[in-house]
């Protein structure tokens, strides 16, 4: 069965700005985006690359925001992170795609399968979808994604770069 994911705003933003939005298809299953996330992105305006990417890629499925479990609410996350984690909890096996550290810690504490933007790029490299991860990561850094050089070099070393 194809793996599905539910994605927060920052991975969408970095991938769209960096020109690598299609890497989200690495999961091969549905790519869900909660309404709270699409609402956050729509406030950026229709000319924003992420808003355009959401509007023009029919493989992205916007989903309604469901109730936020108290275990998620207790972390006082933003609406996007909360909705992503809540949806991943409602759909066993769905991977949450979150970059925010607090959101990642919450997801891990609740046993949610997790990936971040960096993890998507590394997975794409491991599966041979992209020939090299370093150029993609450099594009994402130029697009505003922050990673320390140490973290980036260690991650790239894990895929032989």
């Amino acid at each position: 069965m194809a793996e599905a994911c539910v994605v927060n705003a920052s991975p969408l933003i970095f991938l769209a700005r960096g020109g690598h939005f299609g890497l989200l298809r690495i999961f091969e299953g549905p790519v869900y985006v909660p309404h709270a996330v699409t609402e956050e992105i729509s406030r950026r305006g229709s000319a924003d690359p992420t808003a355009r990417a959401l509007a023009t890629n029919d493989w992205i499925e916007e989903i309604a925001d469901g109730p936020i479990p108290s275990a998620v609410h207790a972390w006082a996350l933003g609406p996007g992170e909360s909705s992503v984690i809540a949806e991943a909890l409602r759909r066993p096996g769905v991977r949450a795609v979150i970059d925010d550290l607090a959101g990642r810690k919450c997801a891990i504490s609740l046993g949610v399968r997790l990936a971040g933007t960096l993890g998507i790029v590394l997975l794409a490299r491991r599966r041979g979808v992209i020939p090299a991860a370093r150029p993609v990561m450099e594009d994402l850094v130029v697009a505003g994604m922050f990673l320390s050089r140490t973290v980036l070099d260690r991650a790239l070393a894990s895929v032989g770069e």
Side-chain angles (χ1 to χ4, degrees):
M1 185 167 117
E3 182 181 23
C5 66
V6 57
V7 189
N8 193 34
S10 63
L12 295 170
I13 292 166
F14 295 137
L15 290 167
R17 281 187 189 166
H20 299 284
F21 196 78
L23 286 182
L24 285 168
R25 298 193 85 174
I26 192 75
F27 293 107
E28 300 172 352
V31 177
Y32 301 115
V33 179
H35 178 73
V37 173
T38 59
E39 192 172 78
E40 177 182 337
I41 290 168
S42 71
R43 288 193 296 267
R44 303 169 73 86
S46 61
D48 177 77
T50 312
R52 283 195 316 265
L54 288 177
T56 59
N57 287 285
D58 61 1
W59 48 268
I60 297 287
E61 186 177 332
E62 181 179 355
I63 54 176
D65 298 328
I68 306 299
S70 59
V72 175
H73 187 70
W75 284 80
L77 303 171
E81 289 92 354
S82 296
S83 292
V84 166
I85 295 167
E87 193 60 37
L89 287 168
R90 274 190 288 282
R91 297 175 187 246
V94 169
R95 187 178 300 254
V97 182
I98 300 173
D99 288 334
D100 175 75
L101 183 59
R104 292 176 67 82
K105 286 181 177 182
C106 174
I108 290 166
S109 77
L110 298 172
V112 171
R113 296 183 67 218
L114 185 64
T117 305
L118 175 59
I120 290 170
V121 175
L122 297 176
L123 183 60
R125 172 67 173 93
R126 286 185 185 106
R127 291 185 179 173
V129 173
I130 55 174
R134 186 175 297 275
V136 174
M137 288 310 303
E138 296 298 338
D139 289 344
L140 298 178
V141 168
V142 167
M145 184 175 178
F146 175 77
L147 285 173
S148 72
R149 185 53 55 184
T150 303
V151 168
L152 181 57
D153 288 342
R154 191 175 12 199
L156 292 173
S158 76
V159 292
E161 294 184 37

